[in-house]
Amino acid sequence: MLTYLAAALPRFASPAARLLALQCALRANSRGHVHMPAGLLRGMRLHGRRELWEELAHADWLLLSGSRSSVPGVQLLDAALLDQTPGRSARRRAAHWALRPAPVRLPAAAPPTLRLVALVLAAHMSSAACQRTDMDVLAWLCGHSRHQAAELLDRLVVTGVLTAWQHDRDADEVLWQLPRTGWRSIASLPHPSAVHDQAR
């Protein structure tokens, strides 16, 4: 789903709008209708952010109802989302995981920019102690430049979310490591494939 959203949304879409779009895409019913409870939006620190809905509507990705409430009625416009695999129950589990993408653990007050890059890193996790992914892929999935992605990885290190990271310039890959309490149990976690896989 992260791959699908990176392709479907404009490059200038904000991190907060991308996180909102991810939850909409994973929670939509078979007709593309989405109900986002106010409590869920409060937990995401996006409640009352009407401008994010309007940003996605301006990108022709969803249609808003006429209501001016902070939790509008929403109809997704992309037909690719109406015939998704895996099924709805698996997508709901992925939506819940995406709110707290273990084993990458962020402070509750982390801004959307950090939450999005942490989610992308978590979606690429394996059982290895040192993780890796392509630098261009990381930047593209987050809607950032390579320089912005590097700055955000630095901030994750400063906040203690990552132990360290580096750019393997020969392979053009980002390598990162979580604190030991974060990665020791990775092998026992279900892989969040529904979030990472492209919508069909």
Side-chain angles (χ1 to χ4, degrees):
M1 191 63 73
L2 290 171
T3 303
Y4 157 75
L5 288 173
L9 296 178
R11 184 64 183 255
F12 56 79
S14 67
R18 290 174 185 274
L19 290 170
L20 183 60
L22 176 63
Q23 289 296 320
C24 287
L26 290 172
R27 294 173 185 272
N29 65 19
S30 60
R31 297 180 299 279
H33 296 153
V34 183
H35 171 65
M36 295 283 280
L40 172 65
L41 293 172
R42 289 190 189 96
M44 296 176 67
R45 297 177 179 269
L46 301 181
H47 188 257
R49 300 283 305 275
R50 175 80 186 192
E51 75 277 9
L52 299 178
W53 298 102
E54 292 174 349
E55 182 179 344
L56 295 173
H58 182 70
D60 295 325
W61 191 74
L62 56 73
L63 181 66
L64 298 174
S65 71
S67 171
R68 297 295 300 177
S69 71
S70 60
V71 187
V74 174
Q75 167 73 55
L76 303 188
L77 299 178
D78 194 334
L81 288 169
L82 304 183
D83 185 28
Q84 295 184 76
T85 55
R88 191 177 181 192
S89 61
R91 288 187 286 115
R92 283 193 173 274
R93 289 194 298 272
H96 180 73
W97 174 85
L99 296 173
R100 297 175 182 82
V104 180
R105 305 189 185 281
L106 279 170
T113 49
L114 287 185
R115 298 206 322 259
L116 181 57
V117 72
L119 174 61
V120 172
L121 293 180
H124 285 83
M125 295 297 295
S126 71
S127 59
C130 187
Q131 309 296 322
R132 63 176 61 224
T133 193
D134 184 87
M135 173 59 101
D136 283 334
V137 170
L138 175 64
W140 180 61
L141 292 178
C142 293
H144 298 312
S145 68
R146 293 161 61 98
H147 178 71
Q148 288 172 315
E151 288 184 339
L152 290 170
L153 291 168
D154 284 340
R155 289 177 63 185
L156 290 178
V157 172
V158 169
T159 57
V161 176
L162 302 182
T163 301
W165 81 276
Q166 68 180 52
H167 182 198
D168 181 346
R169 297 186 183 279
D170 291 336
D172 200 21
E173 289 183 328
V174 173
L175 289 75
W176 75 94
Q177 189 170 27
L178 296 176
R180 187 168 182 83
T181 54
W183 62 258
R184 183 160 47 186
S185 61
I186 288 172
S188 65
L189 294 171
H191 192 275
S193 57
V195 174
H196 182 249
D197 289 348
Q198 182 175 356
R200 304 188 193 285

